[in-house]
Amino acid sequence: MTFQRVCGLSELEEDTPKRVELDGTPVSVVLTEGEVFAINDICSHANVSLSEGEVDDCHIECWLHGSRFDLRSGKPDALPATRPVPVYPVKIEGDDVLVSLSQES
Ligand code: FES
């Protein structure tokens, strides 16, 4: 599993998603509840950026139609989205936030 640096931990603000690109894949990096999560930045319902949505209770909400995706599993807990969004393993090394595009944990 190859981890790559996406940003500095100190660049992240609690509950404020940060959009990064990793090998051309848009990823939303989220610091919430003391943990960092990485989730594909494209909503599974339509082609909009999840990083423009709000974070609450370990979920990120799509700003367009309001589906909420669990940052731990990528699963939606509200319609209209029915398919999960990929989530990616995260490692913290010092101030570096590292993400692997592999979905194996
Ligand atoms: S585009 Fe995200 S819920 Fe519709």
Side-chain angles (χ1 to χ4, degrees):
M1 190 182 300
T2 307
F3 283 86
Q4 297 178 69
R5 184 185 188 279
V6 292
C7 64
L9 183 58
S10 54
E11 292 170 47
L12 297 177
E13 284 179 48
E14 182 88 12
D15 294 343
T16 304
K18 180 177 179 66
R19 180 184 166 113
V20 300
E21 292 233 345
L22 196 52
D23 293 341
T25 299
V27 176
S28 182
V29 181
V30 181
L31 169 65
T32 188
E33 300 180 3
E35 258 193 89
V36 179
F37 299 91
I39 187 167
N40 191 287
D41 194 42
I42 304 301
C43 181
S44 63
H45 180 236
N47 189 18
V48 304
S49 178
L50 289 176
S51 58
E52 292 172 33
E54 300 209 338
V55 174
D56 183 43
D57 192 23
C58 221
H59 287 70
I60 189 164
E61 181 175 312
C62 179
W63 58 269
L64 191 54
H65 303 117
S67 286
R68 297 171 78 244
F69 297 89
D70 192 319
L71 289 165
R72 296 157 292 207
S73 65
K75 291 185 182 153
D77 73 349
L79 294 171
T82 56
R83 287 174 293 126
V85 172
V87 292
Y88 308 110
V90 175
K91 273 202 309 199
I92 307 296
E93 288 182 358
D95 187 53
D96 293 333
V97 177
L98 311 171
V99 172
S100 170
L101 287 183
S102 162
Q103 288 173 258
E104 299 160 26
S105 51

